[in-house]
Amino acid sequence: MAPDSAEALHALGLLRVRQGRHNEAVGLLQRAVQRRPDSTRFAYVYAVALHSLGNASQAITVLEDAQRQRPADRDVLNALVAYFREGGDSKAALRYAEQLLTLTPGDSDVQRLVEALRRQAGSQ
């Protein structure tokens, strides 16, 4: 594996997270995404790192880009629901939760989440 490959950058970024070198990790994870923009896994991890550093809006942008590329990625959808809900935007959270429910119609946890978000969105 080439040291500047997306996979190597991603792995090094994860190592930097474990070492507590978060700013350096985010830069490495971003470079991995730039080299492999088709990888929703790399985008998801990068977005989580951004969010953990307080960059929620940038994390959401990364996740929305990833979701457009791969609409059925449950991790990406779950993160979008969580981040929008955390930010107080129940309507956006509901939009993604409903997509998640379409993918997992028998999941009672997702059904309850959608119902709760519908109530919250209705009161906004």
Side-chain angles (χ1 to χ4, degrees), residues 85-104:
R85 192 175 196 190
E86 179 182 287
D89 190 344
S90 297
K91 290 179 182 178
L94 175 60
R95 186 172 65 244
Y96 291 111
E98 286 174 336
Q99 290 178 38
L100 192 57
L101 184 59
T102 300
L103 296 173
T104 58

Side-chain angles (χ1 to χ4, degrees), residues 60-76:
I60 287 171
T61 298
V62 170
L63 289 167
E64 287 179 325
D65 288 345
Q67 194 272 331
R68 279 190 288 278
Q69 288 181 31
R70 191 164 168 220
D73 189 301
R74 292 180 188 155
D75 290 333
V76 169

